[in-house]
Amino acid sequence: MSKKLKISLAVVFVALLSFSTGAYAATKYYLNFNDKTTKTDVRMINKKAYVPLNDISKLFGGKVSYNSKKHTYYVKAKDYHPANSQVKTSM
């Protein structure tokens, strides 16, 4: 997993934790990722946008799971290929 993706997931995770501290009113925005669009909540904190991890992963065919013993979120995505990986295609 690339460093950039790890940092992004960590930021989203922190945002999810901050949302659980109480009710909030967020405006629904459209989020576009590789020409796929979804409507989602966006929370601005210190001029940075935070969105739910489920909404981000859904855009690239991913599913989110949580391991409560390890306190870890996992994202599995079929459409995601890191920039430094080689995608095998059949001819």
Side-chain angles (χ1 to χ4, degrees):
M1 192 177 332
S2 73
K3 185 177 179 179
K4 193 181 262 189
L5 179 62
K6 286 180 185 179
I7 291 171
S8 297
L9 291 176
V11 168
V12 172
F13 178 71
V14 169
L16 290 173
L17 289 178
S18 69
F19 294 160
S20 66
T21 60
Y24 69 96
T27 304
K28 291 281 189 177
Y29 289 94
Y30 290 99
L31 178 65
N32 186 293
F33 180 81
N34 287 341
D35 296 327
K36 295 178 185 177
T37 303
T38 189
K39 196 170 188 179
T40 186
D41 292 324
V42 176
R43 178 106 185 230
M44 295 299 292
I45 302 172
N46 295 327
K47 298 182 182 180
K48 293 180 182 177
Y50 293 86
V51 297
L53 182 58
N54 287 333
D55 292 345
I56 295 290
S57 62
K58 181 174 63 172
L59 285 173
F60 54 88
K63 292 188 179 186
V64 178
S65 60
Y66 179 70
N67 182 323
S68 60
K69 291 181 182 178
K70 293 183 178 182
H71 301 284
T72 304
Y73 285 90
Y74 297 93
V75 177
K76 296 274 185 172
K78 61 181 178 182
D79 291 344
Y80 175 73
H81 304 287
N84 59 355
S85 72
Q86 295 182 1
V87 179
K88 294 182 181 179
T89 59
S90 58
M91 301 242 174

